[in-house]
Amino acid sequence: MSNAPQKTAANTTEGTLAEIVSHAKEYGFVFPSSEIYDGLAAVYDYGPNGVELKNNLKQLWWKAMTQLNQNVVGIDAAIFMHPLTWKASGHVDGFSDPMIDNLDSKKRYRADVLLEEKAAEYEKNGEIARAETLLAEMGRLLTIEDLAGVKQLIIDEKILCPISKTGNWTDVRQFNLMFSTQVGAVAEDSNKIYLRPETAQGIFVNFLNVQKSARQKVPFGIAQIGKAFRNEIVARQFIFRMREFEQMEMQFFVRPGTEDEWYDKWKATRMRWHQVLGLPADKLRFHDHEKLAFYAKAAVDIEYEFPFGFKEMEGIHSRTNHDLTQHQEYSRKKQQYFDADIDPETGKAYGNYIPFVVETSVGADRLFLATLCQAYTEETITEGEGEKEQTKTRTFLKLHPAVAPIKAAIFPLVKKDGMPEKAEEIFNSLRHDFRVIMEERDAIGKRYTRQDLIGTPFCIVVDGQTLEDETVTVRHRDSREQTRMPISELRAYIGEAVSFSRIFEKL
Ligand code: GAP
């Protein structure tokens, strides 16, 4: 890179999904699962940079839930659960998607997704009312489980298979999304268990264990991060819809009658959390559910504008006391809580009740994808002056330093004159606090570029002056500006930039 002043044109652009997928693979964020065997559809592995970014996002969620709220505690329940759990929760009988096949292409689609895509097309053309009417009608038909009506709607809307371009559809059928396997040596139906399709039920069945052991009083919450599995039929859009994914869920148990107020509070808190982490307000929106489960009082999605449009990233649900009531019935164990607080209306204790639940549920992988999409930046820059002036495109990940996989890269300017030794000394003084790396190979410009591509916020360069006065240059990823600073200030400087407290203060 030239030392001449650099001008940056203000025309940064966002990446397309294809660019982001290929960037994620090339720079060690996300790989297709078992790729040497040509991959496994809708399953992905996180690479060395991906796992760091994902862990940082999970830590920010976990701490925001359990550290900032005295009345939210965590658990880590097993993936396998007693099979009756899924009878009680309704997943065995009702956790299905409406599917439709095209007879010519033999491709299978989710009927609701076909209709949603049609509505999105109307919305894009400015036909907002038409889009809303279509979604409302779809919601109505799905709520009353009128699958013939859903098929008719697809025909009326003249929706064609994107592959065969025909409207030669089968009937709409429900398809259960749970994966099953067997416990023990004998493959009998009685040994059948499921891979959990959501982490929430591990929280519900532990409600009283947690309440008693953590001495919590309603209102309180239980948070959990863990894997969930769904046999998704329409597996598209990279890690947006996977068969094995990770959820970050929190069930907040409240006194009946207070659920609306808690629903509003968690809605606002969760939206704010996403914004504070760096997703801009104009790329986030609430979307109320068209189809409410029969027991639900309210449900809303927080949607992010991915390169393929606004899509669900998190769900916030007011679930009444349905889940705990179901578990009480199926397990025959009381799931009641005794509330000793005095009801001002009666002057008596609120007494025994099954708490209502407000749930927040965000997919760690969707949050990861949103973060990556938001960070992916292509910028036109002009380098050099006069005859040497040239324009090029710089790609970098504008990640918040707190989530960046590597916080700082330390470079000796050249591999001699004691610079590598000094760089190693700095590396050793920082590695206990931060994930830092040291790099000696290639020209300095190339080393900057490599770090830009994985979103490292700072590059620390040891040069001739360092050996004289114990200062280094710190090069900033986003502005490419360099500042000189004493080595003794590096820890505090990086610490401030990557601090979770600075994020949490804004919540
Ligand atoms: N306990 C409530 C529940 O599971 P959900 O809306 O089905 O609700 C919650 O899922 C979140 O989990 C979604 O908002 C999404 O972020 C994530 N999620 C769901 N299915 C997913 C999939 N197949 N791949 C990746 N993430 C998924």
Short mmCIF file of all heavy atoms in Angstrom, two decimals, residues 374-412:
data_model
loop_
_atom_site.label_atom_id
_atom_site.label_comp_id
_atom_site.label_asym_id
_atom_site.label_seq_id
_atom_site.Cartn_x
_atom_site.Cartn_y
_atom_site.Cartn_z
N GLN A 374 -24.26 -7.53 7.32
CA GLN A 374 -24.15 -6.12 7.66
C GLN A 374 -22.69 -5.65 7.58
O GLN A 374 -22.40 -4.52 7.20
CB GLN A 374 -24.72 -5.89 9.07
CG GLN A 374 -24.92 -4.45 9.42
CD GLN A 374 -25.86 -3.75 8.44
OE1 GLN A 374 -26.89 -4.30 8.08
NE2 GLN A 374 -25.49 -2.56 7.99
N ALA A 375 -21.78 -6.54 7.96
CA ALA A 375 -20.37 -6.15 8.04
C ALA A 375 -19.69 -6.13 6.67
O ALA A 375 -18.73 -5.39 6.46
CB ALA A 375 -19.63 -7.12 8.97
N TYR A 376 -20.19 -6.95 5.75
CA TYR A 376 -19.52 -7.11 4.45
C TYR A 376 -19.57 -5.79 3.67
O TYR A 376 -20.65 -5.31 3.32
CB TYR A 376 -20.19 -8.22 3.66
CG TYR A 376 -19.49 -8.57 2.37
CD1 TYR A 376 -18.52 -9.55 2.32
CD2 TYR A 376 -19.80 -7.89 1.19
CE1 TYR A 376 -17.88 -9.87 1.13
CE2 TYR A 376 -19.16 -8.19 0.00
CZ TYR A 376 -18.20 -9.19 -0.02
OH TYR A 376 -17.56 -9.50 -1.19
N THR A 377 -18.42 -5.20 3.42
CA THR A 377 -18.39 -3.88 2.79
C THR A 377 -17.42 -3.88 1.62
O THR A 377 -16.30 -4.37 1.74
CB THR A 377 -17.92 -2.81 3.81
OG1 THR A 377 -18.66 -2.98 5.01
CG2 THR A 377 -18.11 -1.40 3.29
N GLU A 378 -17.88 -3.33 0.52
CA GLU A 378 -16.99 -3.10 -0.61
C GLU A 378 -16.89 -1.61 -0.80
O GLU A 378 -17.91 -0.92 -0.88
CB GLU A 378 -17.54 -3.78 -1.87
CG GLU A 378 -17.31 -5.26 -1.84
CD GLU A 378 -17.78 -5.98 -3.08
OE1 GLU A 378 -18.52 -5.37 -3.88
OE2 GLU A 378 -17.42 -7.15 -3.24
N GLU A 379 -15.67 -1.12 -0.86
CA GLU A 379 -15.46 0.32 -0.87
C GLU A 379 -14.53 0.67 -2.02
O GLU A 379 -13.52 -0.02 -2.22
CB GLU A 379 -14.81 0.67 0.47
CG GLU A 379 -14.44 2.08 0.68
CD GLU A 379 -13.73 2.22 2.04
OE1 GLU A 379 -12.65 1.65 2.21
OE2 GLU A 379 -14.27 2.92 2.90
N THR A 380 -14.88 1.70 -2.76
CA THR A 380 -13.99 2.13 -3.83
C THR A 380 -12.99 3.11 -3.25
O THR A 380 -13.38 4.12 -2.66
CB THR A 380 -14.80 2.82 -4.95
OG1 THR A 380 -15.86 1.96 -5.30
CG2 THR A 380 -13.94 3.10 -6.17
N ILE A 381 -11.72 2.80 -3.38
CA ILE A 381 -10.72 3.71 -2.82
C ILE A 381 -9.74 4.14 -3.92
O ILE A 381 -9.51 3.41 -4.87
CB ILE A 381 -9.95 3.08 -1.63
CG1 ILE A 381 -9.28 1.76 -2.05
CG2 ILE A 381 -10.84 2.87 -0.44
CD1 ILE A 381 -8.31 1.24 -1.01
N THR A 382 -9.20 5.31 -3.71
CA THR A 382 -8.19 5.81 -4.65
C THR A 382 -6.88 5.93 -3.88
O THR A 382 -6.84 6.53 -2.81
CB THR A 382 -8.61 7.18 -5.20
OG1 THR A 382 -9.95 7.07 -5.65
CG2 THR A 382 -7.71 7.61 -6.34
N GLU A 383 -5.86 5.31 -4.42
CA GLU A 383 -4.56 5.34 -3.75
C GLU A 383 -3.53 6.02 -4.63
O GLU A 383 -3.64 6.00 -5.85
CB GLU A 383 -4.09 3.92 -3.45
CG GLU A 383 -4.88 3.27 -2.33
CD GLU A 383 -4.39 1.86 -2.06
OE1 GLU A 383 -3.66 1.29 -2.88
OE2 GLU A 383 -4.75 1.34 -1.01
N GLY A 384 -2.52 6.58 -4.00
CA GLY A 384 -1.44 7.22 -4.74
C GLY A 384 -1.83 8.60 -5.23
O GLY A 384 -2.98 9.03 -5.07
N GLU A 385 -0.88 9.26 -5.85
CA GLU A 385 -1.14 10.62 -6.34
C GLU A 385 -0.56 10.78 -7.73
O GLU A 385 0.35 10.03 -8.12
CB GLU A 385 -0.49 11.63 -5.41
CG GLU A 385 -1.36 11.94 -4.21
CD GLU A 385 -0.74 13.01 -3.32
OE1 GLU A 385 0.49 13.15 -3.32
OE2 GLU A 385 -1.51 13.70 -2.63
N GLY A 386 -1.06 11.75 -8.47
CA GLY A 386 -0.53 12.05 -9.80
C GLY A 386 -0.63 10.84 -10.71
O GLY A 386 -1.66 10.17 -10.76
N GLU A 387 0.48 10.54 -11.36
CA GLU A 387 0.47 9.42 -12.32
C GLU A 387 0.26 8.07 -11.65
O GLU A 387 -0.18 7.12 -12.26
CB GLU A 387 1.80 9.41 -13.09
CG GLU A 387 1.81 10.39 -14.23
CD GLU A 387 3.13 10.32 -15.00
OE1 GLU A 387 3.93 9.41 -14.74
OE2 GLU A 387 3.33 11.21 -15.84
N LYS A 388 0.62 8.01 -10.37
CA LYS A 388 0.54 6.73 -9.66
C LYS A 388 -0.85 6.48 -9.08
O LYS A 388 -1.11 5.46 -8.45
CB LYS A 388 1.57 6.69 -8.54
CG LYS A 388 2.98 6.55 -9.04
CD LYS A 388 3.88 6.14 -7.91
CE LYS A 388 5.29 5.90 -8.44
NZ LYS A 388 6.30 6.15 -7.43
N GLU A 389 -1.75 7.45 -9.27
CA GLU A 389 -3.09 7.31 -8.69
C GLU A 389 -3.83 6.13 -9.32
O GLU A 389 -3.81 5.96 -10.53
CB GLU A 389 -3.88 8.59 -8.92
CG GLU A 389 -5.20 8.57 -8.18
CD GLU A 389 -5.95 9.89 -8.30
OE1 GLU A 389 -5.53 10.86 -7.67
OE2 GLU A 389 -6.94 9.90 -9.06
N GLN A 390 -4.39 5.30 -8.48
CA GLN A 390 -5.20 4.20 -9.01
C GLN A 390 -6.42 3.94 -8.11
O GLN A 390 -6.37 4.14 -6.91
CB GLN A 390 -4.37 2.92 -9.16
CG GLN A 390 -3.63 2.53 -7.91
CD GLN A 390 -3.09 1.12 -8.00
OE1 GLN A 390 -3.71 0.23 -8.55
NE2 GLN A 390 -1.91 0.91 -7.44
N THR A 391 -7.47 3.52 -8.78
CA THR A 391 -8.72 3.26 -8.06
C THR A 391 -8.91 1.75 -7.95
O THR A 391 -8.67 1.03 -8.91
CB THR A 391 -9.91 3.87 -8.86
OG1 THR A 391 -9.65 5.25 -8.97
CG2 THR A 391 -11.23 3.66 -8.16
N LYS A 392 -9.29 1.31 -6.76
CA LYS A 392 -9.55 -0.13 -6.62
C LYS A 392 -10.67 -0.37 -5.61
O LYS A 392 -11.09 0.54 -4.90
CB LYS A 392 -8.27 -0.86 -6.24
CG LYS A 392 -7.70 -0.49 -4.91
CD LYS A 392 -6.47 -1.36 -4.63
CE LYS A 392 -6.12 -1.27 -3.15
NZ LYS A 392 -4.96 -2.02 -2.78
N THR A 393 -11.10 -1.61 -5.56
CA THR A 393 -12.16 -1.95 -4.61
C THR A 393 -11.53 -2.65 -3.41
O THR A 393 -10.73 -3.56 -3.56
CB THR A 393 -13.19 -2.90 -5.27
OG1 THR A 393 -13.68 -2.26 -6.42
CG2 THR A 393 -14.33 -3.23 -4.33
N ARG A 394 -11.90 -2.17 -2.25
CA ARG A 394 -11.41 -2.81 -1.01
C ARG A 394 -12.58 -3.52 -0.35
O ARG A 394 -13.65 -2.93 -0.16
CB ARG A 394 -10.86 -1.73 -0.08
CG ARG A 394 -10.43 -2.26 1.28
CD ARG A 394 -9.75 -1.18 2.11
NE ARG A 394 -10.69 -0.40 2.90
CZ ARG A 394 -10.78 -0.45 4.23
NH1 ARG A 394 -10.01 -1.27 4.93
NH2 ARG A 394 -11.65 0.30 4.88
N THR A 395 -12.41 -4.79 -0.03
CA THR A 395 -13.46 -5.53 0.68
C THR A 395 -13.01 -5.70 2.12
O THR A 395 -11.87 -6.09 2.37
CB THR A 395 -13.67 -6.91 0.04
OG1 THR A 395 -13.99 -6.72 -1.33
CG2 THR A 395 -14.79 -7.68 0.72
N PHE A 396 -13.90 -5.38 3.04
CA PHE A 396 -13.56 -5.61 4.45
C PHE A 396 -14.82 -5.91 5.25
O PHE A 396 -15.93 -5.66 4.81
CB PHE A 396 -12.77 -4.43 5.04
CG PHE A 396 -13.53 -3.13 5.12
CD1 PHE A 396 -13.96 -2.64 6.34
CD2 PHE A 396 -13.80 -2.38 3.98
CE1 PHE A 396 -14.64 -1.42 6.43
CE2 PHE A 396 -14.48 -1.16 4.06
CZ PHE A 396 -14.89 -0.69 5.28
N LEU A 397 -14.61 -6.48 6.43
CA LEU A 397 -15.74 -6.77 7.31
C LEU A 397 -15.76 -5.74 8.42
O LEU A 397 -14.85 -5.69 9.26
CB LEU A 397 -15.61 -8.17 7.92
CG LEU A 397 -15.71 -9.36 6.98
CD1 LEU A 397 -15.70 -10.67 7.76
CD2 LEU A 397 -16.95 -9.30 6.10
N LYS A 398 -16.82 -4.92 8.41
CA LYS A 398 -16.94 -3.84 9.39
C LYS A 398 -17.60 -4.39 10.65
O LYS A 398 -18.72 -3.98 10.99
CB LYS A 398 -17.80 -2.74 8.75
CG LYS A 398 -17.46 -1.35 9.15
CD LYS A 398 -18.30 -0.41 8.30
CE LYS A 398 -17.93 1.00 8.46
NZ LYS A 398 -18.59 1.85 7.45
N LEU A 399 -16.97 -5.35 11.28
CA LEU A 399 -17.55 -5.97 12.48
C LEU A 399 -17.31 -5.09 13.70
O LEU A 399 -16.26 -4.44 13.80
CB LEU A 399 -16.88 -7.32 12.73
CG LEU A 399 -17.17 -8.44 11.74
CD1 LEU A 399 -16.22 -9.62 11.97
CD2 LEU A 399 -18.62 -8.90 11.85
N HIS A 400 -18.25 -5.10 14.63
CA HIS A 400 -18.00 -4.43 15.91
C HIS A 400 -16.78 -5.11 16.54
O HIS A 400 -16.70 -6.34 16.55
CB HIS A 400 -19.22 -4.59 16.82
CG HIS A 400 -19.16 -3.72 18.03
ND1 HIS A 400 -18.18 -3.86 18.99
CD2 HIS A 400 -19.94 -2.69 18.44
CE1 HIS A 400 -18.36 -2.96 19.93
NE2 HIS A 400 -19.42 -2.23 19.63
N PRO A 401 -15.81 -4.32 17.06
CA PRO A 401 -14.60 -4.95 17.63
C PRO A 401 -14.92 -6.02 18.68
O PRO A 401 -14.19 -7.00 18.82
CB PRO A 401 -13.86 -3.76 18.26
CG PRO A 401 -14.31 -2.57 17.47
CD PRO A 401 -15.74 -2.85 17.07
N ALA A 402 -16.04 -5.85 19.39
CA ALA A 402 -16.38 -6.83 20.43
C ALA A 402 -16.71 -8.20 19.86
O ALA A 402 -16.59 -9.20 20.56
CB ALA A 402 -17.56 -6.32 21.27
N VAL A 403 -17.13 -8.26 18.60
CA VAL A 403 -17.48 -9.57 18.03
C VAL A 403 -16.43 -10.06 17.02
O VAL A 403 -16.47 -11.21 16.61
CB VAL A 403 -18.90 -9.59 17.38
CG1 VAL A 403 -19.96 -9.26 18.40
CG2 VAL A 403 -18.98 -8.70 16.17
N ALA A 404 -15.51 -9.20 16.64
CA ALA A 404 -14.51 -9.58 15.63
C ALA A 404 -13.74 -10.82 16.12
O ALA A 404 -13.38 -10.90 17.29
CB ALA A 404 -13.56 -8.42 15.39
N PRO A 405 -13.45 -11.77 15.22
CA PRO A 405 -12.74 -13.00 15.63
C PRO A 405 -11.37 -12.71 16.22
O PRO A 405 -10.96 -13.31 17.20
CB PRO A 405 -12.59 -13.79 14.33
CG PRO A 405 -13.59 -13.24 13.40
CD PRO A 405 -13.85 -11.82 13.80
N ILE A 406 -10.64 -11.77 15.60
CA ILE A 406 -9.31 -11.40 16.09
C ILE A 406 -9.34 -9.91 16.41
O ILE A 406 -9.83 -9.11 15.62
CB ILE A 406 -8.24 -11.72 15.02
CG1 ILE A 406 -8.17 -13.24 14.84
CG2 ILE A 406 -6.87 -11.16 15.41
CD1 ILE A 406 -7.33 -13.68 13.67
N LYS A 407 -8.85 -9.56 17.58
CA LYS A 407 -8.97 -8.16 18.01
C LYS A 407 -7.83 -7.30 17.46
O LYS A 407 -8.03 -6.13 17.16
CB LYS A 407 -8.98 -8.07 19.54
CG LYS A 407 -9.99 -8.97 20.21
CD LYS A 407 -11.40 -8.73 19.71
CE LYS A 407 -12.41 -9.62 20.42
NZ LYS A 407 -13.70 -9.64 19.74
N ALA A 408 -6.65 -7.89 17.36
CA ALA A 408 -5.53 -7.11 16.82
C ALA A 408 -4.50 -8.05 16.20
O ALA A 408 -4.30 -9.17 16.69
CB ALA A 408 -4.88 -6.28 17.92
N ALA A 409 -3.88 -7.58 15.10
CA ALA A 409 -2.79 -8.33 14.48
C ALA A 409 -1.52 -7.50 14.67
O ALA A 409 -1.53 -6.28 14.47
CB ALA A 409 -3.08 -8.53 13.00
N ILE A 410 -0.46 -8.17 15.06
CA ILE A 410 0.79 -7.45 15.33
C ILE A 410 1.80 -7.80 14.24
O ILE A 410 2.07 -8.97 14.00
CB ILE A 410 1.32 -7.84 16.73
CG1 ILE A 410 0.21 -7.55 17.76
CG2 ILE A 410 2.59 -7.08 17.08
CD1 ILE A 410 0.20 -8.51 18.89
N PHE A 411 2.31 -6.77 13.58
CA PHE A 411 3.23 -6.98 12.45
C PHE A 411 4.57 -6.31 12.72
O PHE A 411 4.61 -5.10 12.94
CB PHE A 411 2.70 -6.30 11.17
CG PHE A 411 1.31 -6.69 10.74
CD1 PHE A 411 0.54 -5.78 10.00
CD2 PHE A 411 0.77 -7.93 11.03
CE1 PHE A 411 -0.73 -6.11 9.57
CE2 PHE A 411 -0.50 -8.26 10.60
CZ PHE A 411 -1.26 -7.35 9.87
N PRO A 412 5.68 -7.05 12.61
CA PRO A 412 6.96 -6.35 12.50
C PRO A 412 7.05 -5.81 11.07
O PRO A 412 6.69 -6.53 10.13
CB PRO A 412 7.99 -7.46 12.74
CG PRO A 412 7.27 -8.75 12.53
CD PRO A 412 5.80 -8.51 12.60
#
